[in-house]
Amino acid sequence: MNLAVIGSGGREHAICHKLSLSKKIEKLICIPGNAGTKEIAENIKIDIGNFEEIYSIIKKKNIDIVIVGPEQPLTDGIADYLKERSVRVLGPGKFASQLEGSKAFMKNLCKANNIPTANYGIFDNLEDAKDFIKKSTIPIVVKADGLAAGKGVTVCESIDEALKQTKEILEGKFKSSKKVVLEEFLEGEELSYFVLVDKNSYHFFGSAQDHKRVGEGDTGPNTGGMGAYSPARLLTNDLEKKIKKKIIEPTLKAMKNLGYPYEGFLYAGLMINNKEPYLIEYNIRMGDPECQVLMMKLKTDLLQIVDCATKNNLKNLKIKWDKKKCITIVLCANGYPGKYIKDKEIKNLSTIISDENNQIFHAGTYEKDNKILSIGGRVLNITCSAESLNKARTQSLNNLKKINWTDGFFRKDIGWRAIKK
Ligand code: AMP
Ligand code: GLY
């Protein structure tokens, strides 16, 4: 079969890597891809917002299935666009993508279906928002309604800060957001829970915990993710039952009732407090860097999974996972998540072993004159699995030492909550 993966991050490299191991794969293209995907797929450099051009490449290359990595093309309706033209796509349509694309949509869906989530208010004017903020307890969480590239959420420690953030959002700081969502602050520990959904059923697709803050001990500004590990420390059978019954199943049922059944990967960002799950957010895609650790643990052929999911035949498939623990550490360019340096050569990559327990997934890289150079804030994902998380982390850190890239930095404490215990 011929597959296309859309995106250029570590998530897409990990997906391409797994697809490339399938016996059934004939052709694999990545749009636009990075230096890592270039080794195993044909990179095609086109704008992922240009659906017409993507469709024309898909026809030309005889692609059977398209996997969409990032949220922006999904919320812009790429799955509908391609499906209307008889292309099989893994990913939700535009309406269902509002689960991530509009926090107001997601919160209202939770409220209407008794799905546990933080109390909230949605506002399109400052006066009403002010009243709500003044009656709230601190901290209060201020969120832009639409997509904001991970920058739309602020946990505010004072009324003044909450008013300032709210005003900025309502004045148009994020083009995608004319509304603001104000939320009660949830205490607890976060857990990422993944499912893969088709029109007839859904499957568990792994658990993970990521580290969003830039600094060790989870301090400093938020990033796209500095590292992740799987399985998540907190997930027990009991908790999983609650997550499915109270959150996942009512959501999928609600989407069906609205006439837009969910399809594709669904990522629930949860807060766990006193063994009870609360939904913080939905993402309509795999997590990055969570996908990288899940792909290392996945034992079933990914191509077979995607084939079944896009034929609404997941019900008959058993998805198997390796029991090993897995960790990924993100190597970032100096300056990230602020302004970071670019176009710096990364040496020694080929000297690091690559096998079923050791992979380096590329994120912000490109190849030029047989050299690997950096282009993004998050540059490489050093991913290892072992029988314990501690061993997996030590191995990742050893591999990192060999890279010897003075233009980058990383966190040494990924997985600390699970490893300390
Ligand atoms: P979101 O984009 O909604 O996932 O928010 C980004 C991050 O902000 C989450 O991963 C949490 O760490 C934090 N956050 C968001 N909403 C809340 C909340 N209601 N209570 C506590 N923390 C939150
Ligand atoms: N790692 C967080 C995300 O993918 O949204």
Side-chain angles (χ1 to χ4, degrees), residues 1 5-6 57 63 103 119 127 134 161 174 176 193 204 221 223 234 242 246 252 262 333 349-351 397 409:
M1 291 180 87
V5 175
I6 295 184
I57 288 291
I63 296 300
K103 293 195 190 286
N119 291 322
E127 283 317 300
K134 284 179 181 159
E161 174 69 2
F174 305 102
S176 59
Y193 187 86
F204 167 68
T223 68
L234 294 176
K242 288 181 189 168
K246 296 184 174 188
L252 298 181
Y262 192 86
L349 281 181
S350 56
T351 63
L397 291 169
F409 72 99

Side-chain angles (χ1 to χ4, degrees), residues 11 210 212 224-225 267 281 283 285-290 378:
R11 170 182 49 210
D210 79 340
K212 289 206 173 87
Y267 158 172
E281 62 160 350
N283 295 309
R285 51 176 172 80
M286 285 301 289
D288 187 346
E290 293 95 323
R378 296 192 291 168

Side-chain angles (χ1 to χ4, degrees), residues 218-235:
D218 295 323
T219 53
N222 263 323
T223 68
M226 297 295 292
Y229 68 92
S230 176
R233 180 176 86 88
L234 294 176
L235 195 66

Side-chain angles (χ1 to χ4, degrees), residues 230-231 296-297 322-327 356-358 383-396:
S230 176
M296 294 287 273
K297 282 172 60 64
D322 202 313
K323 289 211 161 44
K324 276 184 282 199
K325 317 281 186 212
C326 187
I327 207 156
E356 64 172 42
N357 294 321
N358 296 270
T383 313
C384 290
S385 48
E387 65 267 33
S388 77
L389 266 184
N390 204 355
K391 280 192 181 157
R393 182 168 73 183
T394 305
Q395 180 65 16
S396 282

Side-chain angles (χ1 to χ4, degrees), residues 82-130:
L82 294 176
K83 280 181 186 173
E84 279 159 18
R85 286 158 183 78
S86 304
V87 180
R88 284 160 71 193
V89 186
L90 189 68
K94 189 171 180 156
F95 186 90
S97 293
Q98 289 180 95
L99 282 176
E100 177 170 358
S102 166
K103 293 195 190 286
F105 175 88
M106 183 282 263
K107 296 299 279 190
N108 288 339
L109 185 123
C110 286
K111 193 175 184 180
N113 295 281
N114 290 319
I115 296 168
T117 188
N119 291 322
Y120 69 103
I122 300 168
F123 302 96
D124 61 6
N125 71 83
L126 195 58
E127 283 317 300
D128 294 345
K130 257 186 196 165

Side-chain angles (χ1 to χ4, degrees), residues 103 118 141 143 153 155 183-186 190 212 222 271 280-281:
K103 293 195 190 286
V141 187
K143 301 187 175 186
V153 176
V155 177
E183 264 183 37
E184 148 201 44
F185 180 79
L186 294 171
E190 284 180 62
K212 289 206 173 87
N222 263 323
M271 189 68 87
I280 302 177
E281 62 160 350

Side-chain angles (χ1 to χ4, degrees), residues 49-269:
N50 188 339
F51 299 170
E52 237 172 85
E53 213 174 330
I54 290 176
Y55 176 64
S56 116
I57 288 291
I58 280 161
K59 284 278 105 187
K60 195 169 137 199
K61 300 277 176 186
N62 263 322
I63 296 300
D64 297 295
I65 307 174
V66 179
I67 303 176
V68 187
E71 63 278 14
Q72 189 70 57
L74 288 167
T75 52
D76 290 342
I78 192 169
D80 304 308
Y81 182 92
L82 294 176
K83 280 181 186 173
E84 279 159 18
R85 286 158 183 78
S86 304
V87 180
R88 284 160 71 193
V89 186
L90 189 68
K94 189 171 180 156
F95 186 90
S97 293
Q98 289 180 95
L99 282 176
E100 177 170 358
S102 166
K103 293 195 190 286
F105 175 88
M106 183 282 263
K107 296 299 279 190
N108 288 339
L109 185 123
C110 286
K111 193 175 184 180
N113 295 281
N114 290 319
I115 296 168
T117 188
N119 291 322
Y120 69 103
I122 300 168
F123 302 96
D124 61 6
N125 71 83
L126 195 58
E127 283 317 300
D128 294 345
K130 257 186 196 165
D131 276 354
F132 186 94
I133 291 171
K134 284 179 181 159
K135 286 182 200 142
S136 302
T137 48
I138 295 298
I140 178 165
V141 187
V142 179
K143 301 187 175 186
D145 174 43
L147 290 184
K151 298 189 175 77
V153 176
T154 318
V155 177
C156 299
E157 301 291 345
S158 72
I159 298 272
D160 283 348
E161 174 69 2
L163 287 171
K164 179 173 167 273
Q165 295 296 337
T166 301
K167 194 162 175 275
E168 282 181 14
I169 291 170
L170 291 174
E171 280 172 356
K173 181 175 179 186
F174 305 102
K175 278 199 194 86
S176 59
S177 306
K178 293 191 179 68
K179 285 184 273 192
V180 66
V181 179
L182 302 174
E183 264 183 37
E184 148 201 44
F185 180 79
L186 294 171
E187 302 280 352
E189 186 172 326
E190 284 180 62
L191 183 159
S192 305
Y193 187 86
F194 300 87
V195 289
L196 178 58
V197 188
D198 70 12
K199 284 197 175 119
N200 299 318
S201 67
Y202 77 93
H203 268 285
F204 167 68
F205 210 76
S207 73
Q209 196 170 53
D210 79 340
H211 295 263
K212 289 206 173 87
R213 305 293 196 94
V214 73
E216 310 235 321
D218 295 323
T219 53
N222 263 323
T223 68
M226 297 295 292
Y229 68 92
S230 176
R233 180 176 86 88
L234 294 176
L235 195 66
T236 59
N237 283 342
D238 230 30
L239 179 61
E240 183 163 13
K241 273 188 204 142
K242 288 181 189 168
I243 295 170
K244 287 178 165 173
K245 209 163 172 263
K246 296 184 174 188
I247 296 175
I248 303 292
E249 286 167 16
T251 302
L252 298 181
K253 194 169 163 207
M255 294 309 296
K256 254 190 193 153
N257 289 343
L258 287 168
Y260 296 92
Y262 192 86
E263 291 169 76
F265 293 113
L266 181 62
Y267 158 172

